[in-house]
Each structure stands twice: as structure tokens, then as C-alpha cells.
Amino acid sequence: MTRQHHLRGVLLASIACMLWGISGVAASTLFTLNHHVTALWLTQIRMISAGAILLIWGQLIHAQPFQIWRQRTTGLRVISYGLLGLVPVQLCYFEAVKFGNAPIATIIQFLGPFIISIYYFLFKHMTPTRPEGIGMVMAFVGTLLIVTHGHLTSLAISPVVLIWGGLSAIGVATNTLIPRPLLPKFGAMAVTGWGLFVAGICLNVFGPLWRVHVTLTAAEWGLVLLIIIFGTVIPFLMFAHALGYILPTTASLLDAFEPLSATVFSVIFLNVQLTTFDLVGGALIILAVMVLSLNGRKMMNFFRRRRRAET
């Protein structure tokens, strides 16, 4: 693979992550402009619309998205992926944004990779490596700074924000682990498209869309479309395309652009005030995820060298 292809992959993944960060800022703006817009309603609209677009696009390019329902086990996994993976990673994230702000919600959600490490330690009996241990300590300290602002006897952010943000971080883990067996066979577009669509439909149990009457201005509808198209569909397609040029570990490093873009655009456009503790804590969490990703890259290189030696 040429350097040009690698740079293309880095650029695509970076822009995708920045768009995900901007979608959080757009959601925060929408919640501020219209108090009748709920996180549940916005999540439903986002999931159903984005899922339908991805499935239609997959059908047009002959990706055969309906193949996934031919087996009961794969169909059940898609449903669990939508409900246990995508719902917390999107609904809980928007709730954290609504009760707090986009930068803090995105940074807390960024703890997801460490929840995956804890899962492997508890259930797969895989002891964390030294870089993972260092990363976990950094992430813990960073979270502690954000939550307490250095005062260990009190919380600097609302417990509601912490709870919703923590649930969204757990969602990042389940969102990563549950669909893994499906991706090689059915492709990311079909799996994500069905996960989004099914989850959006199922959320009607908690608040049917047809019973919710939300009046939006043209500008507010523009924000909704931005979240659906530029905050969901386009970045997903860009990120999936980028994985054809770069390693997943490289892509996970570039995920840092999501909290960074959420922070920068919130400060510029929403005049969000972040303290030194927030900035230092966020930086520690981002660096911690980079440490974890770099460790993953070393492991992949090791297995590649071993495979070459065996052949």
C-alpha cells in the first residue's frame, strides 16, 4: 500500500471523527434552542433515518443487506447490537449532552476502550499489559479531575451527566464487541444499518414518534439533518472506507479527533467554558486511549512478524 493510500485513510478517518464530534455540538445547540426536543426523540429520528439510508444504499450497491435475517442467530445478534450497543452509545450520549455539554459527554464516552479491557480481564481472564495498566491509571486520573475538579469530597459535574456519560461509555464497549462476529460475513454497512434501524424502531416503546409533536424552525431542522447526514451517515461511510487503507489501531488513535473537535467547536460556537481541570483531564483520557492503541499496534506487528517467520 502506498503512502498516498495511507494518507487518504488517515484523512478520511480524521474527518469522520471530527464530524462525529460536531454532531454532539449540533445536538447541544438543538437542545438549547428548543427545549421540547428530547434526547429520545432526536435519537429515534437519527437512528431510523440513518439506518434506512444505509440499508437503501447497501441495496443499491448490491451489498445484500437482507441476507442477515436468513439465520435466527444472526438476526438476534443484530437486535442485541441495536438495543445493547447502539442505544446506549447514542441515546445515553445525547442525554449526557443535554444535561451537560458536548465536550464533557464526549470525553466520558471516550472511556469505552478501557471498559473493553476490563471486560476481557473479568470474563476472558486476560491480564492487562503494562501499557494498558498505565493507560487505565491515566484515564482514571483524568476522569477524577473532570468529575471533582481537584476536590475529592464533591462533584464538579452533575451526577446525571456522569451516569449518562458512563452508560454511553459502556455502550462503546458493547457497540464494539457484540457485532464483531457479523462484520466479516455481512459487512459493516448492513450490520450498522440494521442495528440503527431496529434500535430506532424499538425505542418507540418508550415514546412513540407519532405521539410526539415537536415544532421546529428551518434552522432547527437543519441541525437535525446535519446530525443525521453529516453526523451519522457520511462519517460512518468515510470511516468504513478508511479502514481499507489504514490499520484499525491507527483508526482508533484518530478517534481522538472526536472529543477534540467537540471541545473546540463548543468553545467557539457555544461559548462553553471549560476549566483547567476539564482540559487536563480530557487530555489525560485522550492520551490514555492512544497508549492503549499503540500497544495494540505493537501486538499486530508482533503477530505479523511471527506469521512471516512461520511461512
Side-chain angles (χ1 to χ4, degrees):
M1 187 174 294
T2 66
R3 177 179 291 185
Q4 183 178 1
H5 286 153
H6 181 77
L7 290 175
R8 182 184 301 173
V10 169
L11 183 63
L12 287 171
S14 300
I15 295 174
C17 292
M18 285 190 286
L19 289 175
W20 277 320
I22 292 171
S23 72
V25 179
S28 182
T29 305
L30 187 61
F31 292 142
T32 302
L33 293 176
N34 194 325
H35 297 289
H36 297 289
V37 175
T38 64
L40 176 62
W41 180 85
L42 184 58
T43 303
Q44 288 172 296
I45 293 292
R46 180 190 195 184
M47 283 183 156
I48 294 173
S49 302
I53 292 171
L54 289 172
L55 292 173
I56 292 170
W57 182 257
Q59 188 67 26
L60 291 175
I61 63 173
H62 307 291
Q64 299 181 329
F66 289 91
Q67 293 284 339
I68 205 168
W69 297 104
R70 292 194 171 184
Q71 296 181 17
R72 183 172 177 269
T73 54
T74 56
L76 290 174
R77 184 169 284 272
V78 167
I79 294 172
S80 64
Y81 165 52
L83 297 181
L84 301 178
L86 290 170
V87 167
V89 86
Q90 298 202 26
L91 175 60
C92 296
Y93 171 72
F94 277 158
E95 291 284 9
V97 171
K98 185 176 179 66
F99 287 102
N101 57 58
I104 297 300
T106 309
I107 289 170
I108 294 176
Q109 188 185 60
F110 209 59
L111 293 168
F114 294 97
I115 295 176
I116 296 175
S117 296
I118 294 170
Y119 164 81
Y120 276 109
F121 173 70
L122 293 177
F123 298 101
K124 302 294 184 180
H125 307 292
M126 295 176 63
T127 304
T129 62
R130 182 177 296 179
E132 288 174 334
I134 294 172
M136 287 181 183
V137 172
M138 291 171 62
F140 175 77
V141 173
T143 306
L144 200 65
L145 287 175
I146 292 173
V147 171
T148 66
H149 284 185
H151 302 286
L152 300 182
T153 58
S154 61
L155 292 178
I157 63 174
S158 168
V160 176
V161 177
L162 184 59
I163 291 171
W164 284 120
L167 289 174
S168 72
I170 294 173
V172 170
T174 54
N175 182 61
T176 302
L177 296 171
I178 294 175
R180 286 183 67 184
L182 301 174
L183 296 173
K185 185 175 182 180
F186 300 104
M189 185 175 296
V191 174
T192 306
W194 280 118
L196 286 168
F197 190 77
V198 168
I201 294 296
C202 289
L203 283 177
N204 281 283
V205 172
F206 301 99
L209 276 176
W210 55 88
R211 292 183 182 176
V212 179
H213 301 286
V214 178
T215 303
L216 302 179
T217 65
E220 290 165 354
W221 274 116
L223 288 171
V224 173
L225 290 175
L226 187 150
I227 292 168
I228 294 171
I229 304 299
F230 293 96
T232 310
V233 176
I234 291 178
F236 161 74
L237 294 174
M238 293 178 71
F239 199 82
H241 191 59
L243 291 176
Y245 299 112
I246 58 177
L247 294 172
T249 46
T250 304
S252 63
L253 282 172
L254 298 171
D255 280 345
F257 279 104
E258 183 175 350
L260 287 174
S261 65
T263 300
V264 171
F265 284 101
S266 292
V267 171
I268 294 175
F269 294 107
L270 302 181
N271 197 30
V272 171
Q273 301 296 321
L274 297 176
T275 68
T276 303
F277 290 105
D278 294 327
L279 295 175
V280 174
L284 281 174
I285 292 172
I286 292 170
L287 288 173
V289 174
M290 287 184 172
V291 169
L292 183 66
S293 300
L294 285 171
N295 182 53
R297 176 179 291 181
K298 290 179 180 178
M299 290 178 60
M300 292 188 70
N301 289 335
F302 169 77
F303 285 120
R304 278 204 190 89
R305 289 194 298 268
R306 185 174 178 180
R307 188 179 300 170
R308 289 196 193 104
E310 291 175 351
T311 57

